[in-house]
Amino acid sequence: MKKIIYLSLLLLIIAVIAGCSSNNEEKQTKTAEKELTLLFNFATNTLDPNIDTTYAAVRAGITETLVKMNDKELKIEPWIAKEWKSEDGKHWTFTINDNVTFQNGKKVDAEAVKKSLERAIKNNEAVKGALKIASLKAEGNILTIITEKPFPEFPSELAHPNTSIIDVDEKNYVNKPIGTGPFKVDSFTSGSSIQLIKYADYWDGAAKLDKATFSFNEDANARFLALQSGQADITYRPPVESLEELKAIDGMVVESVPSLRTHQLTMNFKQKSLQNLSVRKALDSLIDREEIVHSILEGQAEAAKGPFLATFSFSDDQGERTYSLEEAKKQLEKAGYRMENGVMKKDSKPLTFKLLTYQARPELPMIAQLLQSNAKQIGVTIEIQQVENIDEYMSTNKDWDLATYSSLTAPRGDAGYFLNATYSKTGALNYGSVDNKELNAKLAVLNQTVDAGKRDELAKDITTIIDKEYLHFFMVHPHTIVAYNGKKVQNWTTTKSEYYMVTNKLDVK
């Protein structure tokens, strides 16, 4: 009997030890999982990469495009497509990488890419207008594309996140698109976060992270607090006034790099008052660019002299624009306005503008308030309206006059993207209905010009027209600011293009 009891106790102890060992192994496995949280400043309500204007799917490493931007050289390079060629700028062949698969294991061939591009063209007018594709043909790994006209910079348009390649047979585009990236969607909470898990069979090498959270918060102070408390490991665009405080935190890394972005003041040319060149000149004179650089952005920007950074070969220095209340009054008087009891009027009607802005870039509402204050000094009223989705509002409403806006003006290292998107009649960013005959003619020539030097000169000619006609007010080139926990995060790169964030190289200690 004693032997039986002893044996039973021995078996029980062994079972307990085995259980403890199993629990320890489980704990070690959980501990060994690598994960991090990135907090971005724009929220999205959809992960459909073909229509989402926040480009969350590419930024979160879910989807990829045929080509991508090389951030150092500012040129496009292979991604899903390993090579491409064209002899005339109209007939193109793209060779798809042999080893690319979707996150459901299906092989990506030219037919899958064709179907994906066809869906993007069908569902997004901006993509249709940008690509100008007449026909697509798939055979094995070779995709043949014919554009409507010779289009030398066509491949660079395929770096745009809205041309992401997805498995169109998987229908849950909004919540769980099936892409080719290193991370697949575990779950998505609209307007809040994306839970990501590693796709083990990723074609370019499995991700170092097991999991990642790509979350959103448009409140800059909330992003700062999340980073400070450790709830976020990487934060995009913390408030500039918090940078010194962040730098004082042990292990915190704050990076500020010149971006390919320009903060601008967009006009609605459907509004009669803004069709007057003198009124546009007056508004430009109310923009204090140096105040924006030094007081609002605390030196994390440079005054803009045009849409592009001066370092680009196609950038043309248009000279500095001067802030001057006197010049603003002079131009308004030239347009027929007169000051009456402290109010600028024409035909007894006060000069009033409705200015749109948005909180996701916290400096933009501050710029709007500065402009409002300057305008008030010469009797002009600017009413500020803050909107949640600036692109959606401007595209669906025409009750606005002005808008603070921010564009990636050269995300593919070429002037053609911004100039076409912003100034062609069907341009995705032509919210203000700009229609200038001289500019349109130059743009048509640019789109069919192959020689790089000639393209640069044409781009300069176009920006000269923009400058002369005051078709946009380019205010500042802001820096891209990212802060992260340097004691934990490894292999992070703050890119100028702002497209590639959660990559297979990103890691934690």
Side-chain angles (χ1 to χ4, degrees):
M1 186 68 179
K2 286 182 180 181
K3 287 183 179 180
I4 295 173
I5 293 173
Y6 176 77
L7 183 60
S8 298
L9 285 171
L10 183 61
L11 291 172
L12 180 61
I13 291 169
I14 292 171
V16 169
I17 291 172
C20 290
S21 175
S22 175
N23 288 337
N24 285 336
E25 286 176 5
E26 286 180 13
K27 287 180 181 178
Q28 286 174 4
T29 301
K30 288 181 180 178
T31 303
E33 281 193 336
K34 294 183 174 183
E35 55 186 298
L36 62 68
T37 297
L38 185 150
L39 184 55
F40 194 53
N41 59 311
F42 276 108
T44 185
N45 295 315
T46 177
L47 293 184
D48 186 339
N50 299 146
I51 63 172
D52 176 23
T53 57
T54 72
Y55 315 144
V58 164
R59 286 170 166 157
I62 302 163
T63 64
E64 299 171 319
T65 49
L66 285 176
V67 302
K68 70 183 296 189
M69 183 72 178
N70 181 311
D71 198 62
K72 292 181 180 179
E73 298 178 5
L74 298 179
K75 294 180 180 179
I76 58 169
E77 64 182 20
W79 211 6
I80 291 178
K82 65 180 179 181
E83 60 183 11
W84 56 91
K85 61 182 178 179
S86 174
E87 294 181 359
D88 59 2
K90 183 176 180 179
H91 297 80
W92 298 86
T93 57
F94 288 80
T95 304
I96 310 304
N97 266 309
D98 296 326
N99 56 341
V100 180
T101 61
F102 288 116
Q103 290 148 355
N104 54 13
K106 288 170 61 176
K107 179 177 172 57
V108 177
D109 57 11
E111 182 63 27
V113 173
K114 174 178 174 287
K115 288 180 179 178
S116 184
L117 289 176
E118 286 174 338
R119 178 183 184 272
I121 291 168
K122 179 182 177 181
N123 288 277
N124 190 327
E125 281 295 321
V127 171
K128 180 180 179 181
L131 297 184
K132 301 178 179 65
I133 291 176
S135 68
L136 298 104
K137 181 183 177 182
E139 188 173 349
N141 271 19
I142 304 298
L143 179 67
T144 302
I145 301 176
I146 302 175
T147 55
E148 295 168 359
K149 296 178 181 179
F151 190 5
E153 289 303 316
F154 172 70
S156 70
E157 293 294 339
L158 295 173
H160 195 288
N162 284 155
T163 68
S164 286
I165 305 305
I166 57 173
D167 184 354
V168 298
D169 294 329
E170 299 277 1
K171 304 299 183 182
N172 192 5
Y173 309 119
V174 171
N175 296 304
K176 195 171 283 191
I178 303 300
T180 63
F183 291 90
K184 53 187 179 180
V185 180
D186 187 31
S187 65
F188 169 55
T189 304
S190 175
S192 177
S193 65
I194 314 167
Q195 301 300 323
L196 303 161
I197 53 175
K198 175 168 66 177
Y199 174 46
D201 295 323
Y202 176 54
W203 66 275
D204 198 26
K208 296 181 182 298
L209 295 174
D210 298 294
K211 297 178 180 179
T213 300
F214 191 94
S215 55
F216 330 107
N217 197 314
E218 296 188 352
D219 186 326
N221 289 320
R223 294 197 299 275
F224 163 70
L225 292 172
L227 184 64
Q228 188 183 49
S229 65
Q231 292 178 317
D233 302 303
I234 305 170
T235 294
Y236 250 75
R237 300 185 184 91
V240 290
E241 63 271 17
S242 73
L243 297 187
E244 293 306 315
E245 188 174 350
L246 284 174
K247 290 176 183 177
I249 299 174
D250 183 35
M252 190 66 67
V253 178
V254 178
E255 294 183 346
S256 177
V257 302
S259 72
L260 305 179
R261 183 172 294 284
T262 304
H263 287 349
Q264 64 202 45
L265 191 65
T266 296
M267 290 170 287
N268 181 3
F269 279 86
K270 295 291 185 182
Q271 304 294 13
K272 187 176 180 180
S273 62
L274 292 169
Q275 294 170 10
N276 189 304
L277 178 59
S278 293
V279 172
R280 301 200 297 272
K281 287 182 177 180
L283 284 168
D284 187 77
S285 295
L286 293 175
I287 301 171
D288 191 341
R289 291 168 174 80
E290 292 303 317
E291 181 74 8
I292 295 170
V293 169
H294 297 293
S295 296
I296 294 178
L297 288 167
E298 298 193 11
Q300 301 296 319
E302 58 184 80
K305 297 178 182 178
F308 308 114
L309 287 172
T311 51
F312 282 113
S313 59
F314 47 79
S315 181
D316 191 19
D317 188 348
Q318 301 294 334
E320 292 184 10
R321 292 286 180 79
T322 305
Y323 164 66
S324 171
L325 295 179
E326 287 303 315
E327 180 63 22
K329 285 193 289 185
K330 178 182 174 182
Q331 291 296 335
L332 289 177
E333 287 170 1
K334 190 175 179 180
Y337 290 87
R338 297 291 180 268
M339 188 79 80
E340 297 179 19
N341 298 319
V343 178
M344 194 66 73
K345 294 183 178 181
K346 183 178 182 179
D347 300 327
S348 302
K349 294 181 179 179
L351 183 57
T352 302
F353 297 104
K354 179 178 177 179
L355 170 60
L356 305 178
T357 191
Y358 53 107
Q359 186 59 46
R361 301 190 186 281
E363 65 271 23
L364 294 185
M366 297 171 71
I367 292 172
Q369 290 167 12
L370 176 63
L371 188 61
Q372 181 188 55
S373 176
N374 292 343
K376 186 177 180 181
Q377 295 183 63
I378 60 167
V380 176
T381 299
I382 292 181
E383 298 171 352
I384 298 174
Q385 178 180 337
Q386 192 159 296
V387 297
E388 187 171 329
N389 188 319
I390 190 73
D391 294 276
E392 183 179 296
Y393 192 97
M394 288 197 292
S395 63
T396 57
N397 299 277
K398 294 302 175 185
D399 62 345
W400 56 278
D401 303 292
L402 307 167
T404 58
Y405 192 71
S406 188
S407 290
L408 280 169
T409 53
R412 273 92 86 188
D414 181 79
Y417 159 72
F418 175 76
L419 297 178
N420 277 289
T422 309
Y423 299 106
S424 69
K425 288 184 179 180
T426 58
L429 303 179
N430 192 0
Y431 300 123
S433 302
V434 177
D435 186 9
N436 183 282
K437 290 182 180 180
E438 185 183 6
L439 188 155
N440 291 340
K442 290 279 187 182
L443 197 55
V445 177
L446 173 70
N447 289 336
Q448 298 185 50
T449 300
V450 177
D451 182 80
K454 291 180 180 178
R455 287 183 62 81
D456 286 349
E457 290 306 312
L458 283 164
K460 290 178 182 179
D461 289 345
I462 292 170
T463 53
T464 297
I465 296 169
I466 296 166
D467 179 73
K468 180 181 69 176
E469 296 296 326
Y470 288 72
L471 300 179
H472 264 93
F473 307 129
F474 303 107
M475 299 184 290
V476 295
H477 302 299
H479 292 180
T480 296
I481 304 172
V482 178
Y484 61 92
N485 179 357
K487 289 187 174 182
K488 178 179 179 181
V489 178
Q490 292 185 306
N491 303 336
W492 167 260
T493 301
T494 301
T495 64
K496 293 179 180 178
S497 66
E498 303 179 31
Y499 285 167
Y500 317 113
M501 298 180 185
V502 184
T503 69
N504 62 330
K505 302 293 191 296
L506 190 58
D507 200 359
V508 293
K509 294 178 183 178

